[in-house]
Structures are given as structure tokens and as C-alpha cells.
């Protein structure tokens, strides 16, 4: 069937879910962009909506249907289909079933419809997932995941909807009870099932050339698809998916490469992305996918910036080694205001350490770090950006060099030179959703085991405080907080209210862990700043630590994909004889090839599933 009319008669069924019952602006923009191509739009919501969210959807749709959150997307699509009725849908040239799991359009939808109208098809989509053999879920009827149109955007033409085959399929289809069932009993089999019956299908973004390179090109070749194929959408999970997926398929570049291209070349408002991500997703996961690490030159500044917009506040906990820190602040005084805060007992000694003739330094007596932050809040209104630096007590545990190096790490990366400071300000100016910039988290000496997973045994307390103050952000015990553990950081001054606006009943370490979540709750993200001088040290440290760990781990658990090695460690699956293991693997591989060649396909996949289940 070809769509001949200049203005086709289309119906849209939009499946929506939000855990908070809210509707972000990216959804409204998506629906407004698609509405010119629709004669009727039904929004099906899996779960309740807040009143204002319902009103927002009402304004951009023909009808809003609220249902129980069951059956995943499949259940929502089916309810929408039966709510409107198959007879009614058959009167439309096309019925579009799409959902909330992507951002767009990056390019006008008119380009897509103009192209697809001319093709003689029964159903089509925007993107497809390539064949995966064998089935990773061990639940697909074909024994593998067939090549299929991805269900975030599926278009059915009227003759197809009228067909006995489709009516029987959609009527007899049961709502899935699990995510895997949704994939294996609907999304991954739909295309092949009807193609085998003789129906024609295609996708707007042809990715045949990526066959063998990526199972899911829209995730791992996104920039290429946007540039070369004018792909109009970006999947939400590109920005927060389990980083294992990126490391298994790439070196981690797909999302940030695509994001930078969109930012520099296309008109799509990326604030729509940030507003949605920061409300719903975990900051550590976003940071990994987006590589929110900023390299700051310590010898030159790329942009002209107004340093008068910023101020440095230095809280002195211990003045014994003030000379180490004075040398950082004095060279900055020609460009930036500085405040030095210390207890009344030591403030005169601190002044002496700075010496005379520095009129731009203002001194204040405070009792502790919390009082220092409150004073910063009072003074910050005169500035756009505030740097809080802490001179910590070094003699906490021997060797004291561990804490001395920690201070070096914080100070070098945040205010190492006047160029570092200029580039920090420039980074804030360019990335207007950046709210907090922290130094890299320390991983040396006895600090490494103390910080451990990042929570230091305080996850429950952080979670409790956030809930107590109704700060609804995505916090996960398995994902570390992006916290300035040493008490030093850069922050936008207008965000200080969220940090200092409550009487936090916690210790300083907990407050530092709360900080990135408070910033996120206020619509900004946390980045990590590296002076280029220190970045070279950090790369060496990380590489050395990884390789030394790998030597031990591989000897005991065998070399493999990172995720598999981690699972082996968790399950304590020690490989006693690795040479024997390799021989066994080669033997099993040859048996597998032989069985696959000679056995009937259904029997082969049945044996394979049994074997995988027995292995666990």
C-alpha cells in the first residue's frame, strides 16, 4: 500500500509513563511536532497523572486515556487499539504507535513521511534492531532475536490493520508480565512473524551497512545515523543506560559524540533532554554516558571571561601548612575576590601566613565548615560562581602524605593556576546546566578503602535526609555519589540556597554526599574538573590500578569481557586450570558448530536453552 494523498489521514496512539505522574516539555514538543501529520491523537497513560500534567497532554491531543500500569508498552498499545476499535483504525491510512522513550524530532518529520509515503508497505518504523543469535533472553520462539522494527515508533497501514492475520494476532496477544516477555513475545517477533506471512515492511533509517557492527545502531552508531541518515530521534537511554552496554560494544563515545553534534549543528533544544534526565535519572549513570569530565588547561585560557563574576572562599581547618595554599591564592588576587574563613583561635595566624598588602582578601571568623558555608551563602549573591576550598587537617593518619596529596589533588584541579580558574568559569558559561564542579575523587593510599564504594557506610542516612526534605531524585546504592569528599568545589551561586537553605543534621561527609543530589534537584548536573597537568597523573594512576588488579583477577577468574569477569568474582567462579578451560571452550565451540550444522533448528535451540539453564 502506497500513501498517495498529499495529506494522509493518520491516527496516533502515544504510550506514556512517568513514575511521578508528570509531563516534561520534551513530550509536548514531540507531540506538537507530530500533530500536523495526525488527524487524531490518543494518549494512553500507564498509571495516573498529576492534574497539571493531564491538562498539558489534553492541550496537545484529541483524547487522554488513563489506565493501570500493567502490560508494559504492549498493554498500553493494545488498550489504545481496542479503545478506538479496529474498524475505526482501518479507516485511517496509517496508525502510528509510538512512545515516550525517545527525544526528537532533530529534523522535520515531514522528511520521513514524504519518503515513506512513496513505499509500497504494510507496516514500517524509524529504526530497527539487527538479528541476535542466539537469543540472549532464552525465551524467543525462534531461538534467536530476529531483525525487527523497534517498537518506539511503529506505523501500520489500513490494509494491514484490516487483515485477518493482524486482527488474530493483536486479539490473541496476551499482555506481557515481564520486560523479557514484552521483548520476546511482541517487539522482537512482530516483524518476522508478519514478514513470513508475506507482508512488506521497511524502516526510515536503513542500517543494513551496520549489520555485524552493532545489533542496535541507534545506540552505538547514533552520530552516524543523525548525520548520514538524518535520523530524527535519539533514544532516552543513550544518556543513562548501564555503562556495560557501551563498554561491551564501544570505547564509550557514542552518546557524547552525538550530543556534541546536535549541540553544534542542529536546532533541537537540548534543555528538553537535561530537564527530563535530571528529574528522573541517576547522576552517576548520566555522568558515565555523557563523560561529564572537563579538562582545564593550566597554561592558557581559550575564552575571554569576566573573573569578577567569581569568588574564592577558603575555609582553613588547620593552618600548620598554610604556605602550601597561599601560593595558590595570591596569584589569583589580581583577577578574583578571595575570602578566608577560619576559627577565631587561628584566624590571626592565617592572616600572617598571607602577609600584608593583599587588600582583596577579606577575613571572617567561623566556628566550623557548616558556618563557613552559611557565610558563603550570604556573600555569594554578588557573584555568579563560587569556589569553596578547604585547607584540611593533614595529620589524620600516617603516612600524612596521603592527606597532603589529597589536598594537592583538590587544589590543583580547581584553582591550580589563574588559567585553570578562567577555564572553570568558561566551562560554566558554556555549559549552562552545569551546576557543580568537583575535583576527581581520590583513590590513593588509605583513602582508597575509606571512600570505597563512595558511600562510606552513609547511604541510608543520605537517602533518609533526601526523603525527609522531599528531595525526589534518583539515588541508587550501587551508583556512587559525585561528591566533593574533601570539601572543595565550584558551584553556581544561585544553587547555594539549596545547600544552605536547611539545617542539615548530619556530618560534613554526609553533606558533601547530599550536595550533588541537591544540585540535581534544582535542575543542574555535576561535572568533574581536571587540570591538564593533573589529568596525566590520573590516567597513569587509573591505568596502573586497573592493570595490577587485572593480573590477579585474570589469573584466578580468567580473562573475559569486563562484565563477565565481574560476575565470576561475585559468584566466586574460580577457574582452577585456565589452559584446560581454553581447551574445553575450543572443544565446546566445535561441538556447537557441528550441532548447529546438522541438527534441526528447533531441536538445536531447545538443547541450547537447556544447556544455558543448567549452567545458570
Amino acid at each position: 500500500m502506497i500513501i498517495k494523498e498529499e495529506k494522509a489521514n493518520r491516527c496516533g496512539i502515544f504510550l506514556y509513563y512517568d513514575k511521578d505522574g508528570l509531563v516534561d516539555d520534551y513530550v509536548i514538543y514531540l507531540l506538537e511536532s507530530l500533530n500536523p501529520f495526525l488527524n487524531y491523537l490518543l494518549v494512553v497513560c500507564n498509571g495516573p497523572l498529576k492534574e497539571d500534567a493531564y491538562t498539558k497532554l489534553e492541550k496537545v491531543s484529541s483524547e487522554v486515556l488513563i489506565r493501570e500500569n500493567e502490560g508494559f508498552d504492549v498493554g498500553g498499545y493494545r488498550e489504545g487499539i481496542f479503545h478506538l476499535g479496529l474498524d475505526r483504525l482501518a479507516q485511517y491510512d496509517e496508525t502510528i504507535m509510538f512512545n515516550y522513550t525517545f527525544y526528537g524530532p532533530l529534523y522535520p518529520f515531514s522528511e520521513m513521511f514524504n519518503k515513506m509515503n512513496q513505499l509500497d508497505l504494510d507496516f514500517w518504523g524509524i529504526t530497527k534492531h539487527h538479528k541476535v543469535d542466539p537469543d540472549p533472553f532464552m525465551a524467543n520462539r525462534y531461538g534467536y532475536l530476529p531483525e525487527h522494527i523497534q517498537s518506539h515508533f511503529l506505523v501500520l497501514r489500513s490494509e494491514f490493520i484490516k487483515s485477518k492475520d493482524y486482527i488474530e494476532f493483536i486479539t490473541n496477544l496476551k499482555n506481557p508480565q515481564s520486560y523479557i516477555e514484552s521483548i520476546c513475545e511482541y517487539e522482537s517477533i512482530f516483524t518476522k512473524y508478519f514478514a513470513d506471512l508475506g507482508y512488506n515492511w521497511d524502516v526510515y533509517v536503513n542500517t543494513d551497512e551496520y549489520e555485524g557492527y552493532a545489533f542496535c545502531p541507534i545506540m552505538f552508531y547514533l552520530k552516524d545515523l543523525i548525520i548520514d541518515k538524518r535520523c530524527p530521534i535519539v533514544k532516552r537511554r543513550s544518556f543513562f543506560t548501564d555503562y556495560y552496554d557501551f563498554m561491551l560494544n564501544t570505547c564509550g563515545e557514542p552518546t557524547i559524540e552525538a550530543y556534541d553534534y546536535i549541540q553544534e549543528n542542529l536546532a533541537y533544544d537540548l534543555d528538553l533532554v537535561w530537564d527530563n534526565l535530571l528529574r528522573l535519572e541517576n547522576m552517576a549513570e548520566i555522568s558515565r554516558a555523557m563523560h561529564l569530565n572537563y579538562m582545564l588547561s593550566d597554561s592558557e585560557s581559550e575564552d575571554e571571561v569576566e573573573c569578577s563574576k567569581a569568588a574564592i572562599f577558603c575555609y582553613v581547618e588547620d593552618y600548620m601548612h598554610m604556605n602550601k595554599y597561599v601560593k595558590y591564592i595570591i596569584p589569583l588576587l589580581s583577577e578574583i575576590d578571595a575570602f578566608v574563613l577560619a576559627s577565631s583561635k587561628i584566624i590571626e595566624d592565617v592572616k600572617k601566613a598571607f602577609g600584608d598588602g593583599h587588600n582583596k582578601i577579606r577575613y571572617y571568623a567561623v566556628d566550623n565548615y557548616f558556618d563557613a558555608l552559611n557565610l558563603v551563602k550570604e556573600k555569594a549573591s554578588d557573584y555568579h560562581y563560587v569556589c569553596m576550598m578547604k585547607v584540611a587537617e593533614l595529620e589524620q593518619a600516617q603516612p600524612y602524605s596521603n592527606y597532603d596529596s589529597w589536598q594537592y589533588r583538590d587544589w590543583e584541579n580547581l584553582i591550580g593556576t589563574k588559567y585553570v580558574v578562567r577555564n572553570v568559569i568558561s566551562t560554566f558559561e558554556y555549559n549552562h546546566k552545569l551546576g557543580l564542579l568537583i575535583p576527581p575523587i581520590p583513590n590513593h593510599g588509605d583513602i582508597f578503602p575509606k571512600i570505597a564504594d563512595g558511600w562510606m557506610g552513609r547511604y541510608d542516612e543520605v537517602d533518609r535526609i533526601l526523603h525527609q526534605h522531599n528531595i525526589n531524585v534518583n539515588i541508587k546504592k550501587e551508583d556512587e555519589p559525585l561528591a566533593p569528599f574533601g570539601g572543595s568545589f565550584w558551584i553556581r551561586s544561585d544553587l547555594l540556597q539549596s545547600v544552605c537553605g536547611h539545617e542539615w543534621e548530619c556530618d560534613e561527609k554526609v553533606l558533601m554526599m547530599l550536595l550533588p543530589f541537591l544540585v540535581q534537584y534544582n535542575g543542574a548536573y555535576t561535572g568533574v574538573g581536571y587540570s591538564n597537568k593533573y589529568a596525566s597523573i590520573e590516567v597513569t594512576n587509573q591505568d596502573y590500578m586497573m592493570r595490577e588488579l587485572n593480573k590477579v583477577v585474570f589469573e584466578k577468574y580468567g580473562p573475559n569481557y569486563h562484565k563477565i569477569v565481574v560476575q565470576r568474582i561475585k559468584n566466586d567462579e574460580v577457574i582452577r586450570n585456565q589452559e584446560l578451560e581454553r581447551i574445553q571452550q575450543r572443544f565446546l565451540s566445535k561441538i556447537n558448530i557441528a550441532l548447529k550444522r546438522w541438527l534441526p533448528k528447533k531441536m538445536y535451540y531447545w538443547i541450547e536453552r537447556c544447556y544455558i539453564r543448567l549452567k545458570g
Side-chain angles (χ1 to χ4, degrees), residues 108-354:
F109 279 133
S110 57
E111 297 180 11
M112 176 178 71
F113 286 114
N114 288 340
K115 174 183 175 181
M116 301 312 287
N117 284 350
Q118 302 171 40
L119 303 182
D120 187 5
L121 302 171
D122 295 295
F123 58 94
W124 60 275
I126 295 180
T127 59
K128 66 181 176 181
H129 195 286
H130 291 293
K131 177 181 176 180
V132 183
D133 187 5
D135 169 24
F137 302 110
M138 300 175 294
N140 196 287
R141 67 180 65 176
Y142 298 111
Y144 60 93
L145 294 188
E147 176 186 49
H148 61 274
I149 296 173
Q150 292 175 290
S151 65
H152 48 249
F153 197 99
L154 176 64
V155 184
L156 311 180
R157 291 188 171 163
S158 60
E159 294 302 319
F160 178 74
I161 289 178
K162 294 176 187 176
S163 71
K164 179 182 176 182
D165 294 321
Y166 179 71
I167 293 171
E168 286 183 353
F169 176 87
I170 200 67
T171 302
N172 295 329
L173 182 67
K174 295 180 180 179
N175 284 347
Q177 301 302 307
S178 68
Y179 172 76
I180 290 177
E181 193 176 331
S182 175
I183 295 293
C184 292
E185 291 300 317
Y186 178 72
E187 178 174 0
S188 67
I189 65 118
F190 185 95
T191 305
K192 177 174 170 55
Y193 178 82
F194 286 105
D196 287 348
L197 292 174
Y199 294 95
N200 297 322
W201 68 277
D202 205 344
V203 288
Y204 175 61
V205 180
N206 186 300
T207 54
D208 289 346
E209 66 201 81
Y210 299 100
E211 181 77 43
Y213 285 85
F215 296 121
C216 186
I218 196 173
M219 286 291 292
F220 305 119
Y221 281 93
L222 178 56
K223 180 182 177 182
D224 290 1
L225 300 193
I226 292 171
I227 297 174
D228 300 334
K229 312 287 185 178
R230 295 182 70 81
C231 180
I233 65 171
V234 178
K235 290 290 288 180
R236 284 188 71 251
R237 68 185 180 94
S238 291
F239 297 93
F240 59 84
T241 196
D242 188 334
Y243 200 69
Y244 157 70
D245 287 341
F246 286 118
M247 288 298 291
L248 185 63
N249 294 277
T250 69
C251 67
E253 80 282 7
T255 300
I256 190 60
E257 284 280 305
Y259 179 89
D260 287 345
Y261 179 81
I262 295 169
Q263 185 177 44
E264 294 166 11
N265 298 278
L266 302 181
Y268 188 79
D269 182 3
L270 287 167
D271 280 359
L272 300 176
V273 174
W274 280 116
D275 291 343
N276 175 246
L277 291 175
L278 293 171
R279 182 174 68 82
L280 290 173
E281 306 307 332
N282 180 267
M283 192 64 247
E285 291 180 318
I286 298 171
S287 179
R288 283 191 285 269
M290 288 290 289
H291 306 290
L292 299 176
N293 306 303
Y294 297 96
M295 302 300 112
L296 309 165
S297 173
D298 61 1
S299 58
E300 60 181 358
S301 51
E302 296 180 5
D303 303 306
E304 290 293 328
V305 296
E306 296 179 38
C307 289
S308 58
K309 292 181 177 180
I312 294 174
F313 292 79
C314 175
Y315 170 66
V316 182
E317 182 178 75
D318 181 6
Y319 73 95
M320 287 180 61
H321 304 284
M322 276 305 299
N323 60 306
K324 289 176 177 288
Y325 311 104
V326 168
K327 69 180 184 181
Y328 284 102
I329 293 176
I330 297 299
L332 304 177
L333 294 178
S334 61
E335 298 186 359
I336 197 166
D337 290 344
F339 299 77
V340 176
L341 322 174
S343 72
S344 56
K345 295 179 181 179
I346 65 172
I347 197 162
E348 291 303 320
D349 294 302
V350 172
K351 287 182 180 179
K352 291 177 183 177
F354 278 96

Side-chain angles (χ1 to χ4, degrees), residues 330 333 336-339 354-363:
I330 297 299
L333 294 178
I336 197 166
D337 290 344
F339 299 77
F354 278 96
D356 299 327
H358 301 299
N359 297 328
K360 290 191 75 174
I361 299 179
R362 281 160 274 184
Y363 298 91

Side-chain angles (χ1 to χ4, degrees), residues 297-578:
S297 173
D298 61 1
S299 58
E300 60 181 358
S301 51
E302 296 180 5
D303 303 306
E304 290 293 328
V305 296
E306 296 179 38
C307 289
S308 58
K309 292 181 177 180
I312 294 174
F313 292 79
C314 175
Y315 170 66
V316 182
E317 182 178 75
D318 181 6
Y319 73 95
M320 287 180 61
H321 304 284
M322 276 305 299
N323 60 306
K324 289 176 177 288
Y325 311 104
V326 168
K327 69 180 184 181
Y328 284 102
I329 293 176
I330 297 299
L332 304 177
L333 294 178
S334 61
E335 298 186 359
I336 197 166
D337 290 344
F339 299 77
V340 176
L341 322 174
S343 72
S344 56
K345 295 179 181 179
I346 65 172
I347 197 162
E348 291 303 320
D349 294 302
V350 172
K351 287 182 180 179
K352 291 177 183 177
F354 278 96
D356 299 327
H358 301 299
N359 297 328
K360 290 191 75 174
I361 299 179
R362 281 160 274 184
Y363 298 91
Y364 293 88
V366 295
D367 292 329
N368 52 50
Y369 188 82
F370 286 84
D371 288 345
L373 279 177
N374 283 322
L375 190 142
V376 173
K377 172 193 167 186
E378 290 177 19
K379 304 296 181 183
S381 59
D382 294 331
Y383 306 95
H384 293 176
Y385 314 109
V386 166
C387 179
M388 181 68 170
M389 298 303 301
K390 180 181 175 182
V391 179
E393 180 185 353
L394 300 184
E395 297 178 358
Q396 298 185 38
Q398 293 184 348
Y400 303 143
S401 60
N402 280 327
Y403 291 86
D404 197 9
S405 281
W406 186 352
Q407 289 284 279
Y408 171 82
R409 185 186 187 100
D410 284 2
W411 286 69
E412 277 292 322
N413 287 303
L414 296 184
I415 60 168
T417 68
K418 65 180 180 181
Y419 298 105
V420 169
V421 171
R422 290 176 186 172
N423 289 321
V424 165
I425 296 170
S426 178
T427 299
F428 274 105
E429 298 271 286
Y430 184 72
N431 301 280
H432 69 278
K433 284 291 185 178
L434 173 63
L436 176 68
L437 190 72
I438 66 172
I441 295 169
N443 52 16
H444 64 279
D446 69 340
I447 299 164
F448 179 62
K450 284 180 180 177
I451 291 182
D453 65 351
W455 292 109
M456 303 170 72
R458 292 171 167 88
Y459 169 82
D460 290 336
E461 187 176 0
V462 174
D463 189 46
R464 176 187 61 77
I465 292 173
L466 290 173
H467 281 90
Q468 179 182 331
H469 292 277
N470 297 314
I471 297 167
N472 184 20
V473 290
N474 189 323
I475 176 173
K476 297 179 180 179
K477 194 170 186 176
E478 62 270 23
D479 285 305
E480 71 286 352
L482 291 173
F485 291 98
S488 298
F489 55 86
W490 280 89
I491 191 169
R492 290 184 185 272
S493 60
D494 57 2
L495 292 172
L496 278 171
Q497 179 63 41
S498 66
V499 180
C500 308
H502 299 278
E503 291 295 328
W504 304 109
E505 297 179 1
C506 62
D507 64 25
E508 185 183 318
K509 286 289 187 290
V510 169
L511 179 60
M512 292 301 99
M513 293 178 201
L514 286 167
L515 188 54
F517 296 108
L518 300 174
V519 167
Q520 182 179 357
Y521 183 69
N522 284 273
Y525 66 80
T526 298
V528 182
Y530 295 82
S531 74
N532 59 352
K533 176 182 176 181
Y534 187 81
S536 64
I537 298 173
E538 183 72 354
V539 169
T540 300
N541 293 348
Q542 295 284 1
D543 184 73
Y544 173 78
M545 292 172 72
M546 181 191 72
R547 292 184 184 281
E548 289 301 301
L549 282 172
N550 284 350
K551 289 176 187 177
V552 178
V553 168
F554 289 170
E555 183 178 348
K556 190 172 182 180
Y557 298 98
N560 212 309
Y561 290 117
H562 178 263
K563 186 75 169 183
I564 294 175
V565 173
V566 171
Q567 289 171 343
R568 285 177 177 175
I569 295 171
K570 285 180 178 178
N571 299 329
D572 198 25
E573 297 174 7
V574 178
I575 298 175
R576 303 296 179 188
N577 188 325
Q578 291 197 37

